């Protein structure tokens, strides 16, 4: 899932303060699940923003609305009829949703209310951890299901580096486990150390230009 | 001869190598390097020029290396993976070679978070082991990593670092093996204080036949003070300072602590001279270059061989 967090109120206020009628649109997908941009967060942001703007002498009209997902146009029908009535749109989706919204309504200024931070999992309620940098060439098979791209501070493919602390934490942060220390121990326990005994050659990075993807079964459909 | 550097010749001739280190200035202060070089001249077979160590911006290591060359000291050009991608690295290697640099040390580098630009974007396009293989490919296959032929190969003597004290300890000798397989000609270790661990690591390397394929230079740093020993013990990741060292420094009069530190270093060097699998010592006298002549003298590594 995509994990996001709300931008500071001041930053959001600066984006929208000069627009009188603003529609704040939440997303029922990832940002709702990670408690950053769902129904409740739309309400809270509108309340706080209104109070702030009123206090500074503005007289904003701030409405809220949530669609199921902002990363698929199938869910935009209702919005299509609403956006025309506003001077600007604030999106509480991830960066993908914000861009989709901006593309859908090219005449309307669209602003991000969130910072999109990573692809991660729930460690507990409201607690998330980054696990994948979408490198496009997954090596988890060799590394015991622990991602070196994301979880090693240097993204090493032939780790660990010389800085691993004696207690197995990363040189960068004494509260973060060294990914390669964990990879070593997991592979050792599974009798698979052979995976990391040979030199892993430099990789051909797959994520240096914008990617698009059509699944095999649909290639015919979009051809030509 | 792979590169024909002075270090390679010294090692090939079977001498016990003695190398040093110079940290470049935080500015364009050429005199600072010349001054440090003055203390090292004739005392070492080669001196490392560090590459923005601890991720603090300093004069570039190739530029510092050239100044060492002018001063008559063979440089070991350190290159970290933190700051440049494979294009910049290969280009710098060619440039360094063109100007007479013949040794290179391939390192991951301290993470940018430690330095004075903690939120810089780290590069880490390739890692240190991959960098070793790139330099080797350029030298031995005369091709770039991308496969194209290059016009005059950079004949570098390829160095790498090893930390015998890192965890998992059992893994460290395998990591050394990977560096050797990638093409390392010589290894400089992390500063050694835990001799028991070091002996064990070298023993493992001997058993795996690695010391027949690579020259190991043992890293030695004299403790300047009790404070330094304590700081290294608790604050420098990857360094293992046993309590005996601290106790021993505490056991002498205050004004003799530095001398005791040098004494410990000299005892280590004596042991390394006899240790099977160790081909020399790499002295890292952190900001203590002016004591190098005294240390070299007391460690009985002078005069340096002319090869
Ligand atoms: S290797 Fe890591 S970053 Fe790449 S796809 Fe797998 S989990 Fe994601
Ligand atoms: S200590 Fe471990 S996780 Fe941290 S940079 Fe080194 S290898 Fe990567």
């Amino acid at each position: 899932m995509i994990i996001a967090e709300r931008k500071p109120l001041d930053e959001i206020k600066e984006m929208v303060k000069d627009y009188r009628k603003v529609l704040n649109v939440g997303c029922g997908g990832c940002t709702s699940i990670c408690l950053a941009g769902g129904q409740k967060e739309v309400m809270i942001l509108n309340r706080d923003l209104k109070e702030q703007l009123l206090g500074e002498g503005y007289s904003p009209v701030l409405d809220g609305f949530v669609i199921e997902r902002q990363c698929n146009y199938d869910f935009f029908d209702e919005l299509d009829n609403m956006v025309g009535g506003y001077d600007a749109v604030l999106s509480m989706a991830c960066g993908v949703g914000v861009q989709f919204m901006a593309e859908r309504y090219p005449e309307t200024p669209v602003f991000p209310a969130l910072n999109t931070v990573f692809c991660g999992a729930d460690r507990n309620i409201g607690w998330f951890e980054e696990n994948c940098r979408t490198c496009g060439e997954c090596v988890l098979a060799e590394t015991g299901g622990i991602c070196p791209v994301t979880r090693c501070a240097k993204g090493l493919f032939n780790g660990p580096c010389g800085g691993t602390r004696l207690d197995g934490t990363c040189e960068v942060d004494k509260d973060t486990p060294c990914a390669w220390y964990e990879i070593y121990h997991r592979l050792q326990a599974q009798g698979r150390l052979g995976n990391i005994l040979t030199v892993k050659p430099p990789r051909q990075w797959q994520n240096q230009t914008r990617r698009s993807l059509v699944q095999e079964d649909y290639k015919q459909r979009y051809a030509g | 001869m792979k590169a024909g550097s002075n270090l390679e010749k010294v090692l090939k001739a079977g001498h016990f190598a003695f190398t040093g280190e110079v940290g470049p200035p935080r500015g364009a202060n050429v005199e600072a390097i010349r001054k440090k070089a003055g203390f090292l001249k004739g005392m070492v077979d080669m001196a490392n020029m560090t590459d923005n160590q601890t991720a603090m911006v300093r004069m570039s290591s190739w530029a510092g290396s050239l100044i060492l060359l002018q001063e008559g000291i063979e440089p070991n050009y350190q290159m970290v993976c933190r700051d440049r991608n494979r294009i910049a690295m290969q280009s710098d290697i060619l440039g360094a070679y063109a100007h007479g640099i013949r040794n290179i040390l391939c390192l991951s580098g301290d993470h940018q978070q430690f330095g004075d630009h903690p939120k810089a974007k780290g590069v880490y396009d390739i890692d240190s082991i991959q960098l070793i293989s790139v330099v080797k490919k350029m030298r031995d296959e005369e091709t770039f990593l991308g496969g194209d032929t290059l016009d005059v190969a950079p004949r570098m003597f390829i160095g790498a670092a090893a930390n015998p004290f890192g965890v998992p300890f059992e893994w460290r000798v395998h990591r050394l093996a990977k560096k050797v397989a990638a093409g390392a000609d010589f290894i400089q270790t992390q500063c050694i204080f835990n001799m028991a661990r070091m002996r064990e690591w070298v023993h493992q390397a001997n058993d795996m036949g690695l010391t027949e394929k690579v020259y190991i230079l043992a890293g030695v740093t004299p403790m300047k003070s009790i404070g330094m020993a304590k700081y290294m013990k608790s604050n420098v990741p990857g360094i293992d300072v046993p309590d005996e060292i601290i106790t021993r420094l505490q056991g002498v009069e205050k004004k003799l602590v530095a001398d005791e530190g040098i004494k410990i270093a000299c005892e280590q060097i004596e042991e390394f001279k006899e240790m099977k699998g160790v081909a020399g010592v790499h002295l890292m006298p952190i900001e203590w270059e002016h004591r190098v002549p005294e240390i070299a003298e007391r460690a009985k590594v002078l005069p340096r061989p002319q090869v």
Side-chain angles (χ1 to χ4, degrees), chain B:
Chain B
M1 285 282 164
K2 290 171 172 167
S5 70
N6 186 57
L7 178 69
E8 183 179 12
K9 289 183 198 153
V10 166
L11 289 167
K12 248 217 148 124
H15 298 292
F16 188 77
F18 190 64
T19 61
E21 187 158 303
V22 174
R26 302 207 70 213
N29 189 345
V30 178
E31 283 318 310
I33 300 183
R34 292 199 202 283
K35 189 165 167 216
K36 287 179 177 176
F39 298 120
L40 266 56
K41 191 157 183 186
M43 303 289 149
V44 295
D45 303 314
M46 169 197 88
N48 291 25
M49 184 57 70
T50 52
D51 182 8
N52 297 300
Q53 77 269 28
T54 66
M56 305 282 270
V57 182
R58 290 170 181 273
M59 187 190 293
S60 56
S61 53
W62 66 261
S65 295
L66 294 189
I67 298 168
L68 283 186
L69 267 182
Q70 291 165 7
E71 295 301 302
I73 294 178
E74 177 169 283
N76 183 17
Y77 169 35
Q78 294 197 184
M79 182 181 274
V80 302
C81 298
R82 176 192 63 225
D83 305 328
R84 27 180 107 58
N85 70 8
R86 62 190 76 181
I87 300 172
M89 285 173 156
Q90 293 178 91
S91 158
D92 280 349
I93 290 163
L94 293 177
Y97 182 77
H99 282 285
I101 293 170
R102 295 292 178 268
N103 306 295
I104 185 168
L105 190 73
C106 306
L107 304 166
S108 307
D110 301 313
H111 196 273
Q112 61 273 16
Q113 192 165 303
F114 291 114
D116 59 347
H117 295 74
K119 293 294 174 196
K121 183 173 183 184
V123 179
Y124 298 110
D125 175 21
I126 60 177
D127 64 30
S128 60
I129 294 185
Q130 294 165 342
L131 175 57
I132 295 166
S133 67
V134 170
V135 187
K136 184 176 163 67
K137 184 169 184 166
M138 292 173 80
R139 180 188 71 193
D140 296 349
E141 295 171 34
E142 308 197 359
T143 52
F144 291 109
L145 175 59
D148 287 352
T149 311
L150 54 85
D151 179 11
V152 180
R155 307 197 56 77
M156 292 284 193
F157 198 46
I158 307 171
N163 184 359
F165 315 103
V167 289
F169 181 58
E170 323 79 77
W171 175 251
R172 291 295 156 173
V173 75
H174 295 291
R175 184 160 166 83
L176 172 66
K178 284 177 85 166
K179 293 194 173 185
V180 174
D185 300 311
F186 69 98
I187 297 288
Q188 292 175 319
T189 77
Q190 176 63 280
C191 314
I192 299 156
F193 299 105
N194 184 339
M195 290 297 279
R197 266 253 156 118
M198 177 66 181
R199 284 181 210 115
E200 196 180 334
W201 181 75
V202 173
H203 188 74
Q204 292 171 335
N206 285 335
D207 284 351
M208 284 174 68
L210 297 173
T211 50
E212 283 154 33
K213 298 185 193 140
V214 73
Y215 297 107
I216 294 181
L217 309 185
V220 172
T221 290
M223 288 292 189
K224 297 195 267 194
S225 63
I226 296 165
M228 170 178 172
K230 286 187 174 162
Y231 179 84
M232 284 192 135
K233 184 180 178 73
S234 40
N235 293 313
V236 186
I239 290 198
D240 180 356
V241 183
D243 289 331
E244 301 97 83
I245 299 272
I246 296 171
T247 322
R248 191 167 153 187
L249 294 173
Q250 282 166 337
V252 300
E253 254 180 82
K254 194 155 186 272
K255 63 178 198 310
L256 290 176
V257 169
D259 188 72
E260 192 66 16
I262 294 180
K263 209 181 269 170
I264 296 172
C266 291
E267 288 166 16
Q268 289 181 301
I269 296 172
E270 287 305 332
E271 182 173 347
F272 289 133
K273 286 182 192 165
E274 305 300 325
M275 197 181 284
K276 179 175 176 277
V278 172
V281 157
H282 176 54
L283 183 71
M284 291 168 274
I286 306 161
E287 293 303 319
W288 232 21
E289 287 83 358
H290 63 286
R291 302 291 293 260
V292 170
E294 179 195 342
I295 298 167
E297 181 72 47
R298 287 171 64 179
K300 301 194 196 65
V301 294
L302 298 178
R304 296 312 309 150
Q306 299 299 313
V307 285

